[in-house]
Amino acid sequence: MTISLSKGQRIDLTKTNPGLTKVVVGLGWDINKYNSGADYDLDASAFLIQADGRVQGIEGFLYYNNAKLYNGAVEHTGDNRTGAGDGDDEQIIIDFTKIPEHIQRIGIAVTIHEAELRKQNFGHVSNAFVRVVDAATDREVLRYDLGEEFSLETAVVICELYRQGSEWKFQAIGSGFNGGLAALCKNYGLDAK
């Protein structure tokens, strides 16, 4: 049975799912009937955060052009440039057994590629969700539907997975940013250039 979460809720991932060591984080969305004159290209990314709340550098930032971190501890499965179809639009695979000890949190985000240039924002996006699936059994463990609360934002931190002792937990975040990927990177102590 899938657990549905609301913004701000937290849940034990590994403690309540014994044997859970590898997950698929699936992200999906639809584009409303808006037409900005250009295709919408949303991109999933992950920020591997240390205890000081910062990402160490490019080795802690996962996206379609930096698709595998720490020998496959975190892996991006590919860039979907249209978001067409049902189900997950992009996926990130996380193997908890390979995450280095200095990584305390993993922030999962979605940005709109060239949002400012294309005059696009998350007000044009609907049915956005994240789901966590047990990679070994293909069982959906949890789901968080974002709702329609965004308007001008061009980047959203969807959720965070975080370490507590030897266990991993999940928090539904749903926090929007203006300024796209650059603003998101700055939030985690990275320079997007």
Side-chain angles (χ1 to χ4, degrees), residues 17 33 36 50 53-54 59 90 95-96 98 100 103-104 125 131 142-143 152 163 165 168 175 191:
N17 295 282
K33 55 189 173 285
S36 69
Q50 303 173 114
R54 301 172 62 86
E59 64 272 14
E90 294 192 9
D95 186 338
F96 296 124
K98 293 183 179 180
I103 302 300
Q104 296 299 306
V125 176
R131 66 191 195 108
L142 66 85
R143 182 181 181 99
L152 301 177
R163 191 190 304 262
W168 282 88
S175 179
D191 183 352

Side-chain angles (χ1 to χ4, degrees), residues 149-160:
E149 62 189 69
F150 302 104
S151 55
L152 301 177
E153 294 87 345
T154 54
V156 177
V157 175
I158 307 287
C159 63
E160 283 189 355

Side-chain angles (χ1 to χ4, degrees), residues 64 100 125 133 151 158 161 163 186 193:
Y64 58 87
V125 176
V133 176
S151 55
I158 307 287
L161 291 89
R163 191 190 304 262
K186 186 176 181 184
K193 294 177 173 106

Side-chain angles (χ1 to χ4, degrees), residues 78-163:
D79 186 16
N80 177 335
R81 294 178 180 231
T82 66
D86 294 330
D88 299 341
D89 290 307
E90 294 192 9
Q91 294 180 329
I92 296 171
I93 300 168
I94 301 172
D95 186 338
F96 296 124
T97 66
K98 293 183 179 180
I99 302 288
E101 284 295 317
H102 71 280
I103 302 300
Q104 296 299 306
R105 294 183 294 143
I106 302 170
I108 306 290
V110 175
T111 56
I112 302 174
H113 183 69
E114 296 182 340
E116 194 172 303
L117 178 70
R118 298 177 182 185
K119 297 180 178 21
Q120 298 172 345
N121 58 57
F122 274 92
H124 304 163
V125 176
S126 60
N127 303 320
F129 68 86
V130 62
R131 66 191 195 108
V132 175
V133 176
D134 183 337
T137 65
D138 206 31
R139 178 180 65 90
E140 187 174 281
V141 176
L142 66 85
R143 182 181 181 99
Y144 167 43
D145 293 297
L146 267 73
E148 310 294 321
E149 62 189 69
F150 302 104
S151 55
L152 301 177
E153 294 87 345
T154 54
V156 177
V157 175
I158 307 287
C159 63
E160 283 189 355
L161 291 89
Y162 62 98
R163 191 190 304 262

